[in-house]
């Protein structure tokens, strides 16, 4: 592409890898779909969105940049628009982790049939990872990107069995913790400060002892990682 990709979109495209057909679920304006085509990571993209208005923006973008012949635009809810095995890669980005979990849960057969799922949740990473582990998926790669003062945890998953990790790993990602990239250490410092504020405010409430003890244990684990990077 002539236009430089944002770090977030670049990371999504890299995680997606190459495929004949990639589905971009919740495609919004179609920027990820366009990057997949222009970067030759997909021969065809099935761009899906529950919003007709958002889907039309993706259609317009494809027309303006001359890749309409490689776009299959579908309006619908989650994976319901896909046939089982139709897309080798399925991308779910730009939505909350609980919504991604619901979309996968509603059409597990379609999710299982894909070679790779690329999930980029906006929050609730713990719940999404727990769902993946509980439902027969293996997380094969993870990335963390900071863009516009927001951290994006990204995960690639495929069908496979893995043991359920502990709470700390579900929150921050096994692969991310193994790599201990500088951006992860920055993120952990940010989360530790956030936890300090929550713990301090929790002292003002009633019956919060168990809750604050759990948060303190989590904060201490973060500190351990930061001290021994």
């Amino acid at each position: 592409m002539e236009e430089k990709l944002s770090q977030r979109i670049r990371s999504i495209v890299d995680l997606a890898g190459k495929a004949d057909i990639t589905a971009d679920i919740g495609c919004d304006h179609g920027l990820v779909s366009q990057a997949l085509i222009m970067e030759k990571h997909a021969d065809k993209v099935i761009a899906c969105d529950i919003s007709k208005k958002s889907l039309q923006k993706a259609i317009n973008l494809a027309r303006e940049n001359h890749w309409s012949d490689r776009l299959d635009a579908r309006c619908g809810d989650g994976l319901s628009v896909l046939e089982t095995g139709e897309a080798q890669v399925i991308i779910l980005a730009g939505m909350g982790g609980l919504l991604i979990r619901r979309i996968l849960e509603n059409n597990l057969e379609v999710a299982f049939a894909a070679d790779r799922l690329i999930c980029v949740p906006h929050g609730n990473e713990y719940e999404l990872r727990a769902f993946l582990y509980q439902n027969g998926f293996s997380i094969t790669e993870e990335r963390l990107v900071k863009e516009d003062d927001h951290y994006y945890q990204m995960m690639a998953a495929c069908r496979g069995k893995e043991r359920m990790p502990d709470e700390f790993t579900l929150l921050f990602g096994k692969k991310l913790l193994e790599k201990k990239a500088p951006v992860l250490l920055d993120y952990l410092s940010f989360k530790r400060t956030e936890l300090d504020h929550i713990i301090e405010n929790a002292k003002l409430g009633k019956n919060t002892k168990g809750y604050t003890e759990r948060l303190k244990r989590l904060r201490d684990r973060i500190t351990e990682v930061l001290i021994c990077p």
Side-chain angles (χ1 to χ4, degrees), residues 39-65:
E39 295 280 308
K40 296 181 171 57
H41 277 247
D43 293 330
K44 173 181 158 184
V45 172
I46 303 172
C48 315
D49 206 288
I50 198 168
S51 164
K52 289 183 179 180
K53 188 177 290 187
S54 292
L55 190 62
Q56 187 60 50
K57 291 176 183 177
I59 293 169
N60 293 343
L61 185 69
R63 286 173 180 164
E64 291 165 9
N65 292 288

Side-chain angles (χ1 to χ4, degrees), residues 30-132:
L31 295 176
V32 170
S33 295
Q34 176 165 275
L36 290 165
I37 294 297
M38 298 300 186
E39 295 280 308
K40 296 181 171 57
H41 277 247
D43 293 330
K44 173 181 158 184
V45 172
I46 303 172
C48 315
D49 206 288
I50 198 168
S51 164
K52 289 183 179 180
K53 188 177 290 187
S54 292
L55 190 62
Q56 187 60 50
K57 291 176 183 177
I59 293 169
N60 293 343
L61 185 69
R63 286 173 180 164
E64 291 165 9
N65 292 288
H66 313 294
W67 54 277
S68 293
D69 58 328
R70 298 168 71 183
L71 172 68
D72 184 347
R74 302 180 186 179
C75 188
D77 187 9
L79 304 185
S80 65
V81 299
L82 298 177
E83 298 292 332
T84 302
E86 186 176 16
Q88 292 84 52
V89 178
I90 298 174
I91 298 171
L92 301 109
M95 61 192 87
L98 296 180
L99 178 54
I100 293 176
R101 183 180 70 179
R102 180 186 69 77
I103 288 172
L104 294 174
E105 190 172 28
N106 287 348
N107 294 90
L108 268 177
E109 186 178 342
V110 174
F112 277 143
D115 294 336
R116 285 185 302 285
L117 302 177
I118 310 301
C119 302
V120 187
H122 290 187
N124 296 110
E125 294 87 359
Y126 173 97
E127 291 84 356
L128 178 57
R129 282 194 182 94
F131 172 84
L132 290 170

Side-chain angles (χ1 to χ4, degrees), residues 123-220:
N124 296 110
E125 294 87 359
Y126 173 97
E127 291 84 356
L128 178 57
R129 282 194 182 94
F131 172 84
L132 290 170
Y133 284 113
Q134 287 167 349
N135 287 274
F137 290 96
S138 173
I139 296 175
T140 58
E141 189 175 353
E142 292 175 308
R143 293 193 184 186
L144 180 65
V145 170
K146 185 180 181 183
E147 189 173 278
D148 298 328
D149 294 322
H150 186 85
Y151 292 93
Y152 297 93
Q153 292 194 46
M154 305 180 175
M155 54 199 83
C158 64
R159 193 166 187 174
K161 291 283 186 180
E162 269 197 272
R163 181 181 297 179
M164 177 70 73
D166 61 14
E167 178 186 26
F168 188 76
T169 304
L170 288 173
L171 281 167
F172 299 110
K174 180 181 178 181
K175 304 295 184 184
L176 293 175
L177 291 167
E178 287 174 351
K179 294 176 187 175
K180 290 186 181 177
V183 67
L184 173 67
L185 301 181
D186 290 342
Y187 180 55
L188 290 175
S189 294
F190 167 76
K191 296 302 288 185
R192 184 172 64 175
T193 300
E194 190 177 73
L195 284 169
D196 283 334
H197 289 307
I198 296 171
I199 291 167
E200 192 62 34
N201 289 332
K203 292 177 182 177
L204 303 176
K206 295 180 180 179
N207 303 317
T208 59
K209 185 177 179 181
Y211 174 65
T212 55
E213 288 302 317
R214 173 179 163 271
L215 295 183
K216 286 176 182 178
R217 287 194 297 271
L218 183 57
R219 182 190 60 189
D220 291 343

